[in-house]
């Protein structure tokens, strides 16, 4: 409780808590992202008092960079699984009501987007999706457009690479992963856990299409590209459209 209070977690009131008696199991998968680790733990600390039971699972990178002891000291996890304890982690996912990724990296996003299952986080995320379980990930560390992105000049100097990374985020959302800002992670988890029908999650997962330079290049012969009214057209895509003479038509 001291950790929760010292980190600004409000311990009174039940306006965003679970329904009484829910006690639902949650699996939190930690990747090697460290820039927002404290904020991620604070979100988990905010979720823990809401009548949920959280099992933390570390990737190999997370075990090296964060460590099991740091998660145990946070005081908000019922148990902590090392990456070597994959069987226990798999069983936890089988039993959970929600899988959450508090520290999604661009590496894990790419693996899930492309179906490359050679890491603990990718395996568990796909396992949860295959079982029809809700998956929520904080995308700050994986989004080139986020203020937390570690290479701030990427969109300007390597726009096609920035587009590729954004496409991975868009793809995993089509796979069923809900990507949210880290500051909204706790509230998003509570919304899903209080929604046994999954209606709110399905509605939230209706993602906006992202138009990138690849789309513009494919439309070059036609001279025009139809984009939806809610589509996101990247800055690099707009510049290339002007260069190639491709009209963006809503």
């Amino acid at each position: 409780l001291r950790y929760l209070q010292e980190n600004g977690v409000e311990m009174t009131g039940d306006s965003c808590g679970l329904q009484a008696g829910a006690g639902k199991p949650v699996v939190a998968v930690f990747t090697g992202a460290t820039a927002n680790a404290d904020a991620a733990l604070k979100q988990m600390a905010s979720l823990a008092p809401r009548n949920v039971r959280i099992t933390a699972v570390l990737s190999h990178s997370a075990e090296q960079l964060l460590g099991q002891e740091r998660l145990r000291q946070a005081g908000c996890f019922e148990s902590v699984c090392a990456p070597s304890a994959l069987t226990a982690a798999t069983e936890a996912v089988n039993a959970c009501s929600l899988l959450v990724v508090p520290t999604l990296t661009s590496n894990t996003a790419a693996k899930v987007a492309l179906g490359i299952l050679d890491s603990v986080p990718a395996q568990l995320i796909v396992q949860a999706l295959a079982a029809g379980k809700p998956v929520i990930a904080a995308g700050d560390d994986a989004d080139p457009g986020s203020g937390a992105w570690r290479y701030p000049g990427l969109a300007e100097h390597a726009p096609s690479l920035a587009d590729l990374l954004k496409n991975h985020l868009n793809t995993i959302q089509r796979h069923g992963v809900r990507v949210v800002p880290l500051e909204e992670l706790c509230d998003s988890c509570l919304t899903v856990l209080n929604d046994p029908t999954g209606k709110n999650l399905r509605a939230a997962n209706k993602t906006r299409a992202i138009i990138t330079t690849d789309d513009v290049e494919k439309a070059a012969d036609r001279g025009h590209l139809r984009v939806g009214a809610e589509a996101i057209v990247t800055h690099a895509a707009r510049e290339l459209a002007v260069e190639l003479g491709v009209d963006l038509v809503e």
Side-chain angles (χ1 to χ4, degrees):
L1 292 179
R2 182 182 301 170
Y3 177 89
L4 306 184
Q5 294 167 344
E6 288 177 351
N7 282 276
V9 177
E10 178 59 53
M11 299 297 294
T12 60
D14 56 0
S15 60
C16 64
L18 284 173
Q19 298 166 1
K24 295 183 178 179
V26 172
V27 172
V29 179
F30 284 85
T31 69
T34 57
N36 289 307
D38 287 337
L41 288 174
K42 183 176 179 179
Q43 288 292 314
M44 291 296 93
S46 296
L47 181 62
R50 315 297 185 179
N51 201 20
V52 300
R53 297 178 287 109
I54 309 175
T55 296
V57 180
L58 288 83
S59 69
H60 290 282
S61 296
E63 185 170 46
Q64 293 177 359
L65 299 173
L66 293 177
Q68 296 181 47
E69 188 58 30
R70 184 173 180 185
L71 295 191
R72 290 194 177 95
Q73 289 177 352
C76 52
F77 302 110
E78 185 176 70
S79 60
V80 177
C81 290
S84 57
L86 187 57
T87 299
T90 298
E91 292 175 352
V93 172
N94 284 336
C96 78
S97 298
L98 167 68
L99 186 143
V100 57
V101 187
T103 56
L104 180 69
T105 60
S106 55
N107 186 45
T108 296
K111 287 178 183 292
V112 175
L114 300 174
I116 301 173
L117 308 183
D118 62 354
S119 70
V120 171
Q123 290 180 48
L124 297 181
I125 290 169
V126 171
Q127 176 191 343
L129 292 174
K133 297 178 183 293
V135 179
I136 300 177
D140 300 51
D141 285 308
D143 184 359
S146 166
W149 183 246
R150 60 190 178 279
Y151 305 121
L154 189 66
E156 178 182 359
H157 300 295
S160 61
L161 180 54
D163 283 351
L164 177 64
L165 296 174
K166 286 187 177 181
N167 267 339
H168 288 156
L169 288 177
N170 196 37
T171 298
I172 68 171
Q173 290 185 87
R174 290 199 298 270
H175 292 342
V177 178
R178 181 180 178 186
V179 179
V180 302
L182 178 55
E183 63 183 11
E184 299 176 9
L185 188 60
C186 176
D187 287 343
S188 297
C189 290
L190 291 170
T191 297
V192 170
L193 290 170
N194 268 326
D195 178 34
T197 66
K199 180 178 178 181
N200 292 339
L201 181 64
R202 289 194 296 273
N205 273 340
K206 291 182 179 179
T207 59
R208 300 168 66 186
I210 298 178
I211 305 302
T212 68
T213 52
D214 286 342
D215 300 305
V216 175
E217 289 174 353
K218 292 174 182 177
D221 291 340
R222 298 194 304 271
H224 68 275
L225 175 63
R226 290 196 171 276
V227 299
E230 296 185 356
I232 299 172
V233 182
T234 67
H235 179 69
R238 290 189 183 279
E239 287 187 337
L240 186 61
V242 172
E243 180 182 334
L244 298 181
V246 176
D247 292 327
L248 302 178
V249 182
E250 291 188 3

